[in-house]
Amino acid sequence: HPGLDVDSVKQWFTKRALEAEGTAKAYRSNLTTYWVNSLQPQGFSTVDDWVAQVREQQRSDDIETRRKWALDLETFINGYVSRHTGRPFVKGAKNTFIASIQSYLKRCLGDRLESYSFTLGTKVERLAELRQKEDVAPVSIDEIKKVYTEAKNRRDRAIISTLVSGGCGVAEWLQFASEWHRYSNDIRESKVPIRIQVTRPKTFQTYVHFLWDDATEDLRELLEERERVKGPHLEALIKS
């Protein structure tokens, strides 16, 4: 989008990507959505023009004027319906969207940006969303077993069993997959449990989770299979 092809967006994205590339891409996508569906239709030539307007509003003595950027954003997130899903934003998506726009504006304006406490829909809407989440049944053991037994190969079975056994997030599991050499002896010896230490990328908090019988056995079989094919000096155990 030409309106977003400006230095302020490029610098903001580059800075965010240094911290977390996935978050940077999600934030840029949200800024694009806001630009296409709200800012551009208002007549702004580029997003810099909007930032200039917000900067000018921050000089006002009227708090409502200083908060206009936030009031407009609040109205947008509570009324927007996705073209792809045909549904409005849920609470989590609203929070991420707000964080995206705030991140960009704070990059441009710093501490001059007036703070605001966003309301994410009416109380009735928030309660309905919460009830809907409560009605969603978790994945059953039988469903997990079905996916596991229908896996095409040892690698896929190892992926499923280590994710389920460890109870970790995808980012933390990818850490384990890239650092598997640290646990190679435990894998070869079929140690139960295998103690895995990972760090959450978003919070930098380190924690421990464990791999139990099925997971350790799957990893051992996968390791033996790959060493027969590739030799004893593997770079990657779990790879596409």
Side-chain angles (χ1 to χ4, degrees), residues 179-197:
E179 299 174 357
W180 74 274
H181 288 97
R182 296 172 55 187
Y183 313 101
S184 58
N185 289 335
D186 289 344
I187 293 172
R188 285 190 175 90
E189 296 169 5
S190 295
K191 181 179 178 180
V192 179
I194 297 178
R195 184 179 186 273
I196 307 296
Q197 182 171 295

Side-chain angles (χ1 to χ4, degrees), residues 118-229:
F118 288 86
T119 300
L120 307 181
T122 66
K123 184 176 181 180
V124 172
E125 290 170 337
R126 296 196 302 274
L127 181 60
E129 181 181 331
L130 181 61
R131 292 298 190 193
Q132 186 177 19
K133 286 183 178 180
E134 292 174 347
D135 290 339
V136 177
V139 178
S140 68
I141 293 177
D142 288 339
E143 288 172 327
I144 294 173
K145 287 181 178 178
K146 186 174 187 294
V147 173
Y148 179 83
T149 55
E150 292 180 359
K152 297 178 181 179
N153 49 50
R154 284 193 174 94
R155 185 210 65 169
D156 290 355
R157 288 194 291 274
I159 291 173
I160 295 167
S161 61
T162 51
L163 275 169
V164 173
S165 179
C168 61
V170 173
E172 291 80 23
W173 182 87
L174 290 173
Q175 283 180 40
F176 161 71
S178 66
E179 299 174 357
W180 74 274
H181 288 97
R182 296 172 55 187
Y183 313 101
S184 58
N185 289 335
D186 289 344
I187 293 172
R188 285 190 175 90
E189 296 169 5
S190 295
K191 181 179 178 180
V192 179
I194 297 178
R195 184 179 186 273
I196 307 296
Q197 182 171 295
V198 292
T199 302
R200 295 186 189 278
K202 291 185 178 180
T203 63
F204 294 101
Q205 290 183 332
T206 298
Y207 70 99
V208 171
H209 64 92
F210 298 92
L211 300 180
W212 298 89
D213 304 63
D214 289 341
T216 58
E217 182 66 14
D218 286 336
L219 288 172
R220 185 187 62 78
E221 291 180 356
L222 178 62
L223 177 57
E224 291 176 351
E225 178 184 85
R226 288 190 55 76
E227 286 184 333
R228 285 196 300 269
V229 175

Side-chain angles (χ1 to χ4, degrees), residues 37-166:
N37 295 281
S38 180
L39 301 177
Q40 189 176 36
Q42 293 179 48
F44 294 108
S45 298
T46 70
V47 71
D48 281 346
D49 295 338
W50 173 61
V51 172
Q53 182 185 87
V54 176
R55 180 183 292 110
E56 183 62 31
Q57 291 169 347
Q58 301 312 295
R59 299 190 178 103
S60 174
D61 293 330
D62 178 40
I63 192 170
E64 293 303 313
T65 300
R66 298 198 303 272
R67 287 178 174 172
K68 188 176 186 306
W69 71 272
L71 294 168
D72 290 344
L73 178 57
E74 182 178 73
T75 299
F76 177 80
I77 61 171
N78 285 320
Y80 178 72
V81 176
S82 171
R83 292 181 301 171
H84 302 294
T85 66
R87 298 176 181 176
F89 282 147
V90 296
K91 181 180 178 181
K94 289 178 180 180
N95 279 324
T96 302
F97 203 96
I98 291 168
S100 305
I101 307 307
Q102 283 182 322
S103 171
Y104 173 66
L105 284 177
K106 287 183 178 179
R107 169 74 183 177
C108 296
L109 302 177
D111 295 335
R112 288 175 290 180
L113 190 66
E114 183 69 35
S115 62
Y116 182 75
S117 179
F118 288 86
T119 300
L120 307 181
T122 66
K123 184 176 181 180
V124 172
E125 290 170 337
R126 296 196 302 274
L127 181 60
E129 181 181 331
L130 181 61
R131 292 298 190 193
Q132 186 177 19
K133 286 183 178 180
E134 292 174 347
D135 290 339
V136 177
V139 178
S140 68
I141 293 177
D142 288 339
E143 288 172 327
I144 294 173
K145 287 181 178 178
K146 186 174 187 294
V147 173
Y148 179 83
T149 55
E150 292 180 359
K152 297 178 181 179
N153 49 50
R154 284 193 174 94
R155 185 210 65 169
D156 290 355
R157 288 194 291 274
I159 291 173
I160 295 167
S161 61
T162 51
L163 275 169
V164 173
S165 179

